[in-house]
Amino acid sequence: MNRTLDPSRRSWLESANPGSTDFPIQNLPFGVFRRAGAHGPGTIGVAIGDQVLDVAGCRRERLLVSLPEHVRQACLESTLNVMMALPRAEVTALRERLSDLLAAGTAQSPHRERVSRLLTPQAEAEMLLPCVIGDYTDFYASMDHAANVGRLFRPDNPLLPNYRWVPIGYHGRASSIVVSGTAVRRPVGQVRPQGAESPRVEASARLDYELEVGCFVGRGNPLGRSIPIEEADGHVFGLCLLNDWSARDVQQWEYQPLGPFLAKSFATTISPWVVTLDALEPFRVAAAARADTDPQPLPYLDSAANRGRGGIDLKLVVGIRTAKMREAGRPVSWMTQSEFARMYWTFAQMLAHHASNGCNLRTGDLIASGTVSGPSERERGCLLELTAGGTVPLGLDGGETRTFLEDGDEIVIRGFCERQGAVRIGFGECRGTILPAERPAIRRQGGPPAAHPLTVTS
């Protein structure tokens, strides 16, 4: 561990000290921002307390002169891609320098006034996507989720035969990944209602969220060359929160034989801050233990390091704030609390498997964990599980119920790590509000296509 993780370290910025923030000086997650109302490209920053430190500004103010020139140049980019591709040791050195500039009682205190001028309140910052995301792959790494969903359709055999042997995933759509706070329009798709002989095109009536964690690839691998599991952590830049919005009625009709397509590709929401592996080091834990009756991972998916420290003790919560709650001034109604450490497959195993056939992962690629669920009812990471496929309405604070999402519903995901002897760190929020659907464009004779909003309630 490096000095940025010292639990006794404090910042001269009071809002960055433990007990009041997701972003103490031990965290320092990276993101891309611009001042609210501004236009043009973003600037690389780190979250510190309730502020954003302008990392590019630190470079321009010559506060990073101890770092190699190519590291300083990476700080001037408008996305994190160049920084993500740096060796982990160089990102660690950058974090150490930023931490020293923000720490109380260090030799850098003469720089405090200059650093203060480079702070922007988070409330005045517009967060952008942290990097250019070239590819996006979504896994299915929670056995609890796979079993919970499987029981809805195959009560006697919920898990398919390959689940315990291979990390299951599908290639998603990178172009529709949006940053937290972006509204999501209810998708229109082809569905076949129960009992109908033929499908029809309509707004999804079974819109769902999925509680997930995202992993950003740092250093990629050449085409044709695999990533040994022992080296997988060296290809990870950091993690974020992720909501894999899902149209369950579209999914049910289209997914055979090739899996998810339009039911998933309309939107995926991520949190804006990327928490580095450095910041997560105090919260690394053993990979989830397998049942005695389960097979052990095949050799390319197994290592002593992964068994001992492949998991991350990350706690996740999901809540909903309906339109009625907002009108009444009521807070978020929390529905789920789940634990990422329970995942059957670790991110190291997902990356090693993804590249095992020679697939080239590239800097900025996003790997999602799949829905994070647990065995108990309140650990289930989507409404499909919480409502038993829409048959058991979920009660919310204030008396409302939901089977699936209604227009105006806002989903809020939060995540945090804490353990004795370490400072609690958080991921911020991953938020998205559902807008009404639009009808498919119908071309009028002599005129342009017309689109009309559709309002759907579950």
Side-chain angles (χ1 to χ4, degrees), residues 25 58 65 279:
I25 196 169
C58 291
V65 291

Side-chain angles (χ1 to χ4, degrees), residues 31 55 242 278 288 295 337 375:
V55 176
L242 186 146
D278 270 3
Q337 178 170 319

Side-chain angles (χ1 to χ4, degrees), residues 187-190 201-203 437-443 449-454:
V188 171
Q190 190 177 135
V201 176
E202 61 186 24
E438 289 190 351
R439 295 183 186 276
I442 301 173
R443 184 170 296 279
H452 306 282
L454 287 172

